Amino acid sequence: MKNILKKLFLAGIISCFFSPFCFSAAIKDSVCIVRGNLSDSTVKFLEQYKNEIKQKGYVSYSLLIDSYLKGRFGSGFVCYASNGKRYIITNRHVVNNFDSVNVQFENEDGSYTDYKGLKILALSDTLDIAIIEVPAGFNKPALSFSNGALKDGYDVISAGFPGLGNEPMWQLGKGSVTNAKARIKELLDPSVSTLIQHSAEVDSGNSGGPLLIKDNSAAGYSVVGVNTWKASYRQNTNFSIPAAVIKKFLNEAVSKSNSAATIDLRLEEFKKVLDDSEKDYSFLAEFISSDMVLAKGGDAFISVLQKAPSEIKNRVVYTFNEDPLEGLKHALCYDIWKKLHIDDGVKEYSVETSKAASNETSVNFKIAEQDIKSKWILNQGRWCLYEIAEINEKPEIEKKGKGKAGKNADTSSTSSDNSLLTIENPFEFSISGGPAFNKNSSVPLFQINADALLQYITMGFCLYSTRMSAPVDTFSDNYVMQNLTLSGANVGLRLPLKSGIFIFEPKLNFCLCFVNLFQMEKVMGVGFGIGGGLEITIICSEAFGIVIGTDYIHTFFKKNSAGNLNVTAGIKFSVSN
């Protein structure tokens, strides 16, 4: 009897010790690394576009595209749909804008089982969820969705492949539910679903991996959510999309037998976005096809950088930094929003459809008594805008391609703006200085300027020297040729004209200065100068540039005046503001 009890005790200890490893291994069989594949036309476009924006002076954006082309990854997991088939669930942002997907399952011996070129069945921008089809013969075990109610304080487990040294590495994290029904409208509309806030480890690369809970199911654990967001401003604050809404989206996606029949519903959703006063251009992103991004996104992004309000530009740039293709899409959304939306309400329009093919349809908008033609195509399981005619132009659309995203789109030209010079927004702050040449002086004098610029007007501080006939002291009428130091306020106008990495700035300046302010024993008074010249900025990045220039300033003091020819060099910050 004692031997039996001893064996049971040892077995219990061994079970407690090894059960976490068995649990981890079981989960690992169902969780995978997800990598997207860009289409050949998308890769070609991005290669061309990164060179184009580099030539225009946007060097950091070019580097971001280069990094994006090297590839990214996220996580995913296998589950069953209502049709009894297996599918892989991940986040939309992990596979968005990709043509197909590769997945990898890490085996216990460290090797990988690869499945390449998998099709993206459906995407949800609202839920940030994507469904990936698996090939015939796929035999990886599926995780089940939990049907139980989740409560604050429950223990949960996160699983996935966050990056370590830019390579995915398996990670199993334990934590607890800190808010079972978090309402954060910036992440997900609470009317659609609440979020699960929890403290289980989630790092970059975990996106799309499952959040699990132990239960009495056959496997011993079930999926309660998909890990999607991490709060960078708070420790151990992570968010998952609940299993119930994921399961509903999955089953709806696999049950659609005729996707073409959903075009009317899709257009109603598009209309609701335009009619909703609380929504802005960014909500159009889910309606833009990959084809349209390749054909028009490059132009739209440059336009935002050069012409859009600072708030819009900053938001689009932030999105571009996270995902260049998504950034181009948001720039395109802003362009379309301006066409279809005005500040005091949505322009009147009507929609008429003419289904010419199973994967494409035409839609006619009625805006301000003008017919605006558009084309919509099926893109990754949903109807998306492919082309839209310009307002106030003949609304005829020349067809450039159709069907699968990026296959036949015309991407030979990424920018329609072929002008040599474009007007650029002014810089925010600059410091420059250099020698000043005066006909009355045999040696060079000096000039230093520090300017802040806003809306083509410069205001700042100037310090320079000149040589001219002036009184020997403040109250003397005895004039002699001497060097004067002037310091004071500088205001002016500039017109920045950009060409590639160069910005040419014709300028006019007016200076109001104290004379010999730092030499109180000598002549003291107020003088002023008027001048103009040209500066050339070499753009090193969006936030920094090197400037060289030349200008002439004529100084007036007391009864006399003199002119300086200045050669300057310096630095400028926020070059592409």
Side-chain angles (χ1 to χ4, degrees):
M1 185 68 178
K2 289 182 178 179
N3 289 335
I4 294 174
L5 292 174
K6 185 176 181 180
K7 289 179 180 179
L8 289 173
F9 178 73
L10 291 173
I13 292 176
I14 292 172
S15 175
C16 291
F17 180 77
F18 283 105
S19 61
F21 296 98
C22 297
F23 181 60
S24 174
I27 297 174
K28 198 173 181 180
D29 287 340
S30 302
V31 181
C32 58
I33 304 163
V34 179
R35 302 178 190 268
N37 300 313
L38 295 170
S39 66
D40 292 341
S41 58
T42 302
V43 172
K44 181 181 178 181
F45 164 77
L46 289 175
E47 291 285 359
Q48 292 175 346
Y49 192 63
K50 76 172 185 179
N51 293 329
E52 178 182 333
I53 60 175
K54 183 177 181 180
Q55 292 172 0
K56 289 179 177 290
Y58 302 110
V59 179
S60 64
Y61 300 136
S62 175
L63 294 175
L64 284 169
I65 293 176
D66 194 51
S67 175
Y68 181 77
L69 286 168
K70 293 177 181 178
R72 300 181 179 185
F73 60 86
S75 301
F77 64 93
V78 185
C79 63
Y80 280 114
S82 56
N83 60 6
K85 295 181 180 180
R86 292 184 180 96
Y87 295 88
I88 292 174
I89 296 290
T90 188
N91 282 142
R92 176 202 58 83
H93 72 258
V94 172
V95 299
N96 194 37
N97 300 310
F98 289 109
D99 191 57
S100 63
V101 174
N102 297 344
V103 299
Q104 288 182 312
F105 291 86
E106 185 176 0
N107 303 315
E108 286 303 305
D109 61 1
S111 63
Y112 290 93
T113 301
D114 295 330
Y115 299 91
K116 298 184 177 180
L118 304 186
K119 179 184 176 181
I120 301 170
L121 175 66
L123 296 169
S124 171
D125 292 82
T126 304
L127 298 174
D128 198 6
I129 292 296
I131 302 169
I132 303 170
E133 291 187 332
V134 298
F138 183 87
N139 60 0
K140 291 294 180 181
L143 297 172
S144 60
F145 290 105
S146 173
N147 294 318
L150 198 62
K151 296 183 179 180
D152 295 351
Y154 276 21
D155 292 332
V156 287
I157 297 169
S158 62
F161 290 86
L164 187 63
N166 295 323
E167 289 297 326
M169 180 171 288
W170 172 248
Q171 176 176 285
L172 204 63
K174 300 183 91 173
S176 61
V177 176
T178 55
N179 188 343
K181 294 183 178 181
R183 291 173 172 82
I184 305 177
K185 63 181 181 179
E186 291 81 7
L187 300 179
L188 180 61
D189 186 347
S191 65
V192 176
S193 174
T194 56
L195 295 170
I196 303 169
Q197 180 179 315
H198 64 89
S199 60
E201 288 91 338
V202 170
D203 297 299
S204 179
N206 265 121
S207 292
L211 184 69
L212 303 156
I213 190 169
K214 288 186 178 181
D215 57 16
N216 295 323
S217 63
Y221 47 87
S222 299
V223 176
V224 294
V226 174
N227 293 313
T228 305
W229 296 287
K230 177 182 179 72
S232 58
Y233 52 88
R234 288 179 59 181
Q235 187 175 8
N236 297 328
T237 304
N238 309 304
F239 299 97
S240 299
I241 302 168
V245 293
I246 300 166
K247 185 177 179 180
K248 180 181 178 183
F249 174 70
L250 171 62
N251 292 334
E252 287 178 351
V254 300
S255 65
K256 291 176 181 176
S257 58
N258 184 9
S259 298
T262 66
I263 180 63
D264 293 329
L265 177 61
R266 186 69 165 162
L267 291 173
E268 280 300 314
E269 293 172 348
F270 184 70
K271 182 178 182 295
K272 286 180 180 178
V273 169
L274 292 173
D275 288 341
D276 193 337
S277 60
E278 295 186 357
K279 296 188 185 300
D280 62 14
Y281 73 93
S282 63
F283 286 86
L284 292 179
E286 65 172 294
F287 300 98
I288 307 300
S289 69
S290 300
D291 286 305
M292 195 173 190
V293 172
L294 299 190
K296 303 290 185 180
D299 290 349
F301 185 65
I302 295 295
S303 178
V304 164
L305 293 179
Q306 295 179 344
K307 303 174 184 178
S310 296
E311 180 185 358
I312 301 297
K313 175 189 168 182
N314 292 338
R315 290 179 60 189
V316 171
V317 166
Y318 178 83
T319 304
F320 187 94
N321 290 342
E322 296 293 319
D323 184 330
L325 282 173
E326 197 69 7
L328 299 184
K329 180 183 290 185
H330 276 242
L332 192 55
C333 290
Y334 177 65
D335 183 60
I336 295 171
W337 183 265
K338 290 187 298 181
K339 297 176 182 177
L340 302 180
H341 195 276
I342 56 177
D343 292 339
D344 57 352
V346 179
K347 297 177 183 178
E348 298 247 346
Y349 67 89
S350 62
V351 176
E352 297 177 1
T353 63
S354 175
K355 302 178 180 66
S358 61
N359 64 344
E360 132 182 356
T361 191
S362 298
V363 178
N364 187 58
F365 293 91
K366 191 78 171 180
I367 302 175
E369 303 304 321
Q370 184 178 359
D371 290 332
I372 305 299
K373 292 184 178 180
S374 68
K375 289 189 182 297
W376 293 64
I377 62 171
L378 273 176
N379 187 188
Q380 295 181 330
R382 42 184 194 169
W383 285 100
C384 293
L385 186 63
Y386 173 58
E387 289 184 351
I388 185 168
E390 295 290 336
I391 294 178
N392 297 326
E393 294 181 6
K394 186 178 179 181
E396 294 294 331
I397 296 177
E398 180 183 353
K399 187 174 178 182
K400 296 182 180 178
K402 65 180 181 178
K404 198 170 183 180
K407 289 297 181 183
N408 298 311
D410 180 8
T411 60
S412 59
S413 175
T414 57
S415 176
S416 61
D417 184 6
N418 296 317
S419 59
L420 294 177
L421 294 175
T422 58
I423 297 177
E424 184 73 1
N425 287 339
F427 314 102
E428 289 186 357
F429 185 74
S430 64
I431 301 174
S432 61
F437 301 95
N438 184 295
K439 68 177 183 178
N440 299 320
S441 176
S442 59
V443 296
L445 304 173
F446 71 90
Q447 179 185 15
I448 299 174
N449 294 303
D451 297 318
L453 291 89
L454 180 65
Q455 294 298 316
Y456 311 107
I457 298 174
T458 178
M459 295 177 289
F461 172 79
C462 62
L463 176 65
Y464 68 98
S465 61
T466 188
R467 186 170 179 81
M468 61 188 296
S469 179
V472 295
D473 57 45
T474 303
F475 304 104
S476 174
D477 289 329
N478 183 21
Y479 280 68
V480 297
M481 190 66 66
Q482 58 181 300
N483 290 343
L484 302 178
T485 301
L486 297 95
S487 56
N490 179 47
V491 295
L493 296 174
R494 300 193 184 190
L495 180 64
L497 301 172
K498 185 175 180 181
S499 178
I501 63 170
F502 298 99
I503 295 181
F504 302 90
E505 267 189 279
K507 61 179 184 177
L508 295 173
N509 287 324
F510 175 81
C511 308
L512 183 64
C513 303
F514 291 101
V515 179
N516 287 350
L517 179 63
F518 306 108
Q519 297 171 293
M520 299 297 292
E521 74 280 3
K522 293 188 177 182
V523 62
M524 181 69 176
V526 177
F528 67 92
I530 300 175
L534 175 68
E535 286 186 353
I536 301 175
T537 300
I538 303 172
I539 300 174
C540 301
S541 72
E542 285 69 49
F544 177 76
I546 297 174
V547 61
I548 57 175
T550 182
D551 64 81
Y552 176 83
I553 183 168
H554 203 85
T555 304
F556 299 86
F557 179 61
K558 300 291 185 179
K559 301 177 181 179
N560 294 309
S561 64
N564 283 3
L565 180 63
N566 307 302
V567 177
T568 57
I571 55 177
K572 292 192 174 183
F573 300 97
S574 296
V575 173
S576 59
N577 180 39

